[in-house]
Amino acid sequence: MSLDDITNLHLVTNTDEAFEFLRWLSFQKDCAIDTEGSGLSPERDHVRLVQFGNGSEAWAIPFEINKMVVLDAVKRFQGEWITHNGPYDFAMLAKDGVVLPQHRTHNTLLQAHVLYSKGPLGLKPLYSQHVDERGAMLQDDLKAVFAERKWNWSTIPWDYPAYWQYGCVDTCETYQLDKVLRPRVMEISPRSYELELAVSWVIERMCRKGAMVDRPYVERLTGELDERELRLRKTIEDEWRVSPGSAKEIISRLQADGVELVKLTPKGDAYSTDKEALSVIDHPLAALVLEYRKISKLTSTYLHGYLDLSQYDGRIHPSINSVGGRAKNPFEPGGQDGVRTGRSSANDPNLQNVPKRGEFKTAIRRSFRAADDHFWLSSDFDQVEMRGMAHASQDPGLKAA
């Protein structure tokens, strides 16, 4: 099959069309499903369109006016659902009471990862690679519309043809891709696929549960560090006449004071002012700049983000990725590249990268607390990879070690 087989796209806008869609769905043994939302956060954004399709025909349903049609369709349908990023669509729909049955939901992104762990994971690149090289045509059209009209995912009219047709085609492409990838997966590595599916649903629950932030504590700590950052900046600018963000000014001042600089930038065209270079310089300015950068990173990378991301419900809901990277958004460069090793990654924020060393280690980690009637447990799987290999191989030497 190819793009040429996608011949019937429908937008459901009235009762007759809704009944025709439900009649069509009743004849399907399996069906691809996808959502278009106002954004990428299941906590803050909402579903705008829900699309259903097979390899040649698809239906787009405006969720804001036809929610009951979607709810009825998902309840009635007893076949297999095919998605490209099932946990995301599950989370977006579940908040409005539409619950996809996880045990009957497949995921072409995970199929691709099991088969080709170093290949692309986005729907359009995968479809172009395995089904039809023209797979990104509508995506390019929609990009142009967004740029010309100054629209985004939340403001584009749901009945704009390029928008709802793009959503419909996504389901057809997902359906066709599943017919190519799943037979290979089931032949080569069915248990790996089953494991990836199971883990993806566990991670989805973790993301929705989130981590509770002690907001009063974080607000106090952020205020203290913001004040400290401002004092350091003022000292650097008033006493040393340089901007703490200007490497060129810092280098000039250090050289004027007789400091011999050694380390170069990676390009080799200037002296470096990174942590390694400044930490070996015995000069007050170097020490001040290092402290300023440390405080600035703590507030910008961690604390301000914790407050921004938890203001909705007091919790941070990160994107935890068992496969790939951050984006469902097809317009984001590098979307869904990310982790390839079997370990997970996280973003918005990266809760796997909370400081574990340094002066503020404990202070930053105290940003999180257990919910009421819960407790906090910290554990570390020491040398888990080696222990896993010892168990799997039963090698006497590994087991003894």
Side-chain angles (χ1 to χ4, degrees):
M1 300 183 79
S2 69
L3 281 179
D4 296 329
D5 296 295
I6 303 173
T7 55
N8 293 300
L9 305 179
H10 314 273
L11 179 65
V12 176
T13 60
N14 57 52
T15 302
D16 290 341
E17 291 168 344
F19 278 118
E20 182 62 21
F21 157 68
L22 292 172
R23 188 197 68 81
W24 170 87
L25 184 63
S26 69
F27 287 98
Q28 308 304 310
K29 293 183 178 180
D30 52 10
C31 182
I33 186 171
D34 187 30
T35 61
E36 302 300 333
S38 60
L40 299 177
S41 169
E43 281 67 45
R44 297 185 297 275
D45 296 305
H46 61 275
V47 175
R48 303 195 64 210
L49 287 180
V50 183
Q51 307 89 252
F52 301 81
N54 58 23
S56 60
E57 189 168 5
W59 304 73
I61 301 178
F63 192 70
E64 294 155 324
I65 62 173
N66 280 327
K67 173 183 171 181
M68 295 309 296
V69 175
V70 177
L71 184 62
D72 191 41
V74 172
K75 282 185 175 181
R76 287 171 181 261
F77 186 68
Q78 295 302 308
E80 291 184 327
W81 293 110
I82 303 167
T83 70
H84 183 66
N85 188 4
Y88 170 81
D89 298 308
F90 177 93
M92 291 295 289
L93 289 168
K95 62 186 288 187
D96 284 299
V98 180
V99 181
L100 294 176
Q102 297 177 1
H103 65 289
R104 288 192 281 116
T105 301
H106 286 276
N107 191 321
T108 52
L109 184 153
L110 297 181
Q111 293 168 7
H113 173 71
V114 169
L115 291 171
Y116 317 102
S117 64
K118 294 184 179 179
L121 292 177
L123 174 60
K124 299 302 184 184
L126 280 170
Y127 185 83
S128 297
Q129 178 177 333
H130 296 286
V131 183
D132 189 326
E133 63 184 9
R134 301 169 296 167
M137 288 172 55
L138 272 180
Q139 179 175 309
D140 294 337
D141 292 344
L142 193 55
K143 284 183 180 179
V145 168
F146 276 17
E148 177 185 350
R149 302 293 186 95
K150 308 301 181 185
W151 285 334
N152 56 37
W153 295 106
S154 65
T155 59
I156 187 171
W158 56 261
D159 58 350
Y160 191 80
Y163 177 59
W164 68 263
Q165 290 171 10
Y166 165 87
C168 281
V169 169
D170 270 2
T171 61
C172 293
E173 291 183 350
T174 299
Y175 188 93
Q176 292 183 18
L177 185 62
D178 174 76
K179 299 311 174 193
V180 173
L181 296 184
R182 202 189 329 170
R184 299 177 190 171
V185 169
M186 301 314 291
E187 177 185 358
I188 296 171
S189 193
R191 293 191 66 185
S192 293
Y193 175 53
E194 292 169 5
L195 178 62
E196 292 290 358
L197 275 173
V199 169
S200 73
W201 295 118
V202 173
I203 287 178
E204 191 281 324
R205 290 197 296 275
M206 292 169 61
C207 294
R208 301 289 69 78
K209 190 74 173 179
M212 180 163 283
V213 175
D214 188 340
R215 288 184 58 87
Y217 167 79
V218 176
E219 288 168 353
R220 289 195 302 272
L221 180 60
T222 303
E224 293 170 5
L225 293 181
D226 281 345
E227 289 182 10
R228 187 166 168 181
E229 181 182 346
L230 287 173
R231 289 197 303 270
L232 286 166
R233 170 181 281 277
K234 185 171 180 14
T235 299
I236 293 170
E237 291 175 343
D238 292 350
E239 296 185 10
W240 300 98
R241 303 299 180 187
V242 301
S243 168
S246 172
K248 184 177 180 180
E249 292 180 13
I250 293 168
I251 290 170
S252 296
R253 182 57 200 246
L254 291 173
Q255 288 179 324
D257 286 357
V259 174
E260 183 179 356
L261 302 175
V262 177
K263 185 180 179 182
L264 297 175
T265 62
K267 291 184 178 181
D269 57 355
Y271 287 112
S272 173
T273 62
D274 65 12
K275 182 178 179 181
E276 181 182 8
L278 293 182
S279 62
V280 297
I281 295 175
D282 184 16
H283 190 284
L285 176 58
L288 286 169
V289 170
L290 284 173
E291 186 177 6
Y292 171 83
R293 288 179 180 173
K294 177 176 65 177
I295 302 300
S296 179
K297 180 177 180 179
L298 288 171
T299 55
S300 62
T301 303
Y302 303 107
L303 298 176
H304 286 295
Y306 293 170
L307 290 174
D308 290 343
L309 293 167
S310 66
Q311 61 182 323
Y312 180 78
D313 61 357
R315 293 173 178 265
I316 286 176
H317 301 272
S319 294
I320 303 175
N321 317 295
S322 61
V323 169
R326 60 178 301 156
K328 179 183 186 295
N329 185 350
F331 295 175
E332 181 172 338
Q336 295 183 340
D337 291 339
V339 64
R340 303 290 180 159
T341 62
R343 292 190 171 204
S344 63
S345 67
N347 53 269
D348 298 327
N350 183 0
L351 287 183
Q352 296 178 191
N353 187 29
V354 180
K356 61 181 179 180
R357 298 183 182 86
E359 175 186 356
F360 295 98
K361 173 193 74 172
T362 302
I364 298 297
R365 293 190 167 222
R366 281 187 57 198
S367 299
F368 304 97
R369 69 175 184 87
D372 295 341
D373 300 322
H374 291 69
F375 63 90
W376 188 270
L377 174 66
S378 178
S379 63
D380 179 24
F381 292 102
D382 183 41
Q383 298 296 317
V384 64
E385 293 89 355
M386 295 300 295
R387 295 176 190 276
M389 285 191 284
H391 172 76
S393 69
Q394 292 296 304
D395 178 86
L398 277 178
K399 290 172 69 177

